[in-house]
Amino acid sequence: MGRPAIFYSFSFSPNHSWSSFFPEGPEIVEYLQRVCDKYQLNDKIQFNTDVTEIRWREDEELWEVRLTHLAPGLGDISAKEREKRAKEQGRERVFLTQEVVKAKIVVSAAGALVEPNQLPNSIAGRERFEGKVFHSSKWDHEVDLNEKNIVVVGTGCSAAQFVPLLTKAPFNANSVTQVMRSPPWVVPQLTPLFGREKWEKWTPILFKRLPILARTARFLLFILAEYDFSRIFHDTLYNRKAREEIESQMMQYMKKSVPEKYHEILSPNYPIGCKRRVYDDNWFSSLHDPKLKLTTQPLTSLHARGATLGPGRDYPDPKDSASKVSTDQVEIPADVVILANGFEIGNWLHPLEVRGKGGALMQDVWDERGGPQAYMGVTMDGFPNFFMIFGPNTATGHTSVILASENMVEYSLKFIRHILNNDVKTVEVKKKAEVAWTREIQEQLNRTVFNFGGCSSWYKNKNGWNSTAYP
């Protein structure tokens, strides 16, 4: 986890019993399940159901929502994987029935990190590979990693959390080769007040007896994160000096934490904050493990039980003759490939089709205006009574998604209440307001390290349009 657990609690349903400052995923899932039980939501959630299209019916002033009911368990896999299974097993084994319902209001809470990136097409030999390939967000628990040779593609936040575990029980991998395109800025994990041991011992007791302490701790962490944002992300003399100071500290941390052979490839050539930082708990220390190797040579092909790295390298620049990083082609054993290469972040709402007034497709409107956008990150003109939670330009790179999502829910409810109370039939932002909002957002983003930093990140698409970050 990259953020303290306090930020993974809803403000209206705090959890005062986290086992640690940074609990593992199953504990977060248990908390969310308790929230569903507490607010009696389980019977209101329709699982294994894919919303494939929503279409505005102007004559009725209603949304027509097309649903596809899936075979049990298939709601957890990606749309591409469902299509693949349908080709292999037959569509009737994957897509069971279709249904059309109508609604006054549609709220998309799909978010952004939904469809995982696939194995790049540039990697030859996928059909020859006899091992398993899966994305870390869709972890295949049926794959036995014991004594296997694993290739991990990616060095982002997720990879930094699971890679150190692969050579240890219960996974016990024989070897792990981690392929990195460019180095992230790596930040030491935040240590709670009085240290982790005392935090884990005393906060469950104190927070239950004095809830105001929990609220105060959450508020202080919020202020700390905002201070972090104010120092790093903008383009002022103060920000430039702050970034230089922080970068110097992070380089010192890296050099004292990892073997010297990795110093060059773990030295970023872009300003901190340009792409998402990695909060390090034990990734750097794991690089001392002889079973684990980090490389910037690209994965170029797969074989039956092996893989080819190179020739060439992704970082540093292959043209840098002073670099000591190898460009020679290398053959390695490979039984499993784990993708930690991110998501199709630029395709907001994809593969859902949203058609508004006149049958206009949301994606086409975005293309005409330069890229994905929405007023306040929530709503678009031409698409009445449609709201997005965590839509375009609502990520900040420094604080909690749950906190941001609550704000968007509250904003949406201000308008939804009027529809439900029959004060109005439809709510729609004016085009002039949406266009002006987006123009201001993009202009401000050009003055942030997200845009001027010069790195390759998932904040921006190939055309340079930033539909992810909020300035």
Side-chain angles (χ1 to χ4, degrees), residues 205-407:
I205 300 171
L206 294 173
F207 285 177
K208 283 182 179 178
R209 293 181 179 178
L210 297 168
I212 192 172
L213 286 180
R215 292 195 294 272
T216 302
R218 179 182 168 104
F219 177 73
L220 291 175
L221 280 171
F222 169 78
I223 293 298
L224 183 63
E226 293 304 302
Y227 172 66
D228 188 40
F229 185 86
S230 72
R231 296 181 70 201
I232 291 177
F233 291 97
H234 290 97
D235 188 24
T236 66
L237 179 61
Y238 165 75
N239 291 132
R240 289 191 289 272
K241 288 184 176 180
R243 280 196 296 271
E244 289 175 4
E245 178 184 342
I246 295 169
E247 288 167 10
S248 176
Q249 294 170 356
M250 296 308 101
M251 287 297 291
Q252 291 177 33
Y253 172 70
M254 182 272 288
K255 289 180 178 179
K256 75 177 184 181
S257 302
V258 307
E260 186 176 354
K261 64 181 179 179
Y262 293 134
H263 287 185
E264 184 178 3
I265 64 172
L266 284 172
S267 298
N269 62 355
Y270 58 89
I272 191 169
C274 182
K275 62 180 178 180
R276 190 171 182 183
R277 294 163 292 169
V278 169
Y279 287 84
D280 179 44
D281 195 6
N282 53 10
W283 180 45
F284 269 3
S285 62
S286 75
L287 295 177
H288 291 275
D289 187 338
K291 292 184 177 182
L292 201 158
K293 179 183 178 182
L294 178 67
T295 179
T296 58
Q297 291 185 271
L299 176 62
T300 51
S301 65
L302 294 172
H303 315 291
R305 286 292 173 182
T308 301
L309 302 178
R313 65 174 183 245
D314 286 330
Y315 191 88
D317 189 328
K319 297 177 182 178
D320 183 357
S321 58
S323 173
K324 298 179 181 179
V325 179
S326 175
T327 59
D328 296 336
Q329 181 172 303
V330 180
E331 304 293 332
I332 62 171
D335 302 303
V336 179
V337 175
I338 302 176
L339 302 175
N341 57 343
F343 297 81
E344 296 180 7
I345 188 70
N347 295 330
W348 291 89
L349 301 177
H350 178 79
L352 170 64
E353 287 192 358
V354 181
R355 294 189 177 274
K357 288 182 174 179
L361 184 65
M362 180 84 80
Q363 283 78 3
D364 290 344
V365 175
W366 284 341
D367 289 343
E368 291 169 4
R369 299 187 189 180
Q373 57 194 268
Y375 183 73
M376 296 285 184
V378 173
T379 185
M380 278 289 295
D381 58 283
F383 299 83
N385 296 5
F386 178 73
F387 304 89
M388 288 175 277
I389 307 303
F390 211 68
N393 297 112
T394 54
T396 60
H398 76 290
T399 193
S400 169
V401 169
I402 289 181
L403 179 66
S405 297
E406 282 194 52
N407 290 336

Side-chain angles (χ1 to χ4, degrees), residues 1-4 21-22 161 186-192 196 253 278-282:
M1 176 192 283
R3 288 283 179 264
F21 197 57
F22 296 101
Q161 293 179 54
V186 179
V187 181
Q189 193 65 279
L190 182 66
T191 301
R196 289 194 185 185
Y253 172 70
V278 169
Y279 287 84
D280 179 44
D281 195 6
N282 53 10

Side-chain angles (χ1 to χ4, degrees), residues 23 33 46 54 69 78 100 146 155 222 250 258 379 401-402 437:
Q33 289 173 337
Q46 194 161 309
I54 65 171
H69 298 286
S78 69
V100 175
N146 187 57
T155 51
F222 169 78
M250 296 308 101
V258 307
T379 185
V401 169
I402 289 181
W437 167 266

Side-chain angles (χ1 to χ4, degrees), residues 122-135:
S122 60
I123 299 173
R126 173 67 181 88
E127 70 285 351
R128 297 192 303 265
F129 186 58
E130 296 177 0
K132 292 287 187 178
V133 178
F134 61 87
H135 196 278

